Amino acid sequence: MARKLKCARCGVDLEMKKIDFKYFEVEIAKEIPCCPSCGQYFIDQELAEGRMRAAEMELEDK
Ligand SMILES: [Zn+2]
């Protein structure tokens, strides 16, 4: 997981932060990339499509 993302607005590297959020009544704590400057965070495609459970299993396998 060496993917570096940049904030489109600020042009600074995003930092991984643990975020708690609710998704369809399920509370999730997950590290997602956040902009340290403007606080914008980026939810990846799997999360956006509600496949976070599969994504977390992949992470734990490693
Ligand atoms: Zn930003």
Side-chain angles (χ1 to χ4, degrees):
M1 275 245 310
R3 202 167 49 150
K4 273 246 165 166
L5 293 171
K6 284 193 178 196
C7 177
R9 190 153 47 159
C10 313
V12 298
D13 289 339
L14 301 182
E15 295 177 351
M16 296 305 286
K17 271 194 187 167
K18 199 155 212 173
I19 302 283
D20 296 290
F21 61 100
K22 267 199 166 187
Y23 193 91
F24 290 115
E25 320 256 313
V26 183
E27 283 199 56
I28 297 150
K30 192 172 163 62
E31 284 206 333
I32 57 174
C34 294
C35 175
S37 176
C38 69
Q40 175 71 53
Y41 58 86
F42 294 82
I43 294 178
D44 58 32
Q45 199 73 20
E46 284 118 55
L47 281 175
E49 291 175 5
R51 286 190 280 149
M52 74 289 266
R53 208 166 282 171
E56 286 195 348
M57 276 195 259
E58 276 177 20
L59 288 178
E60 275 165 23
D61 275 350
K62 279 167 198 164

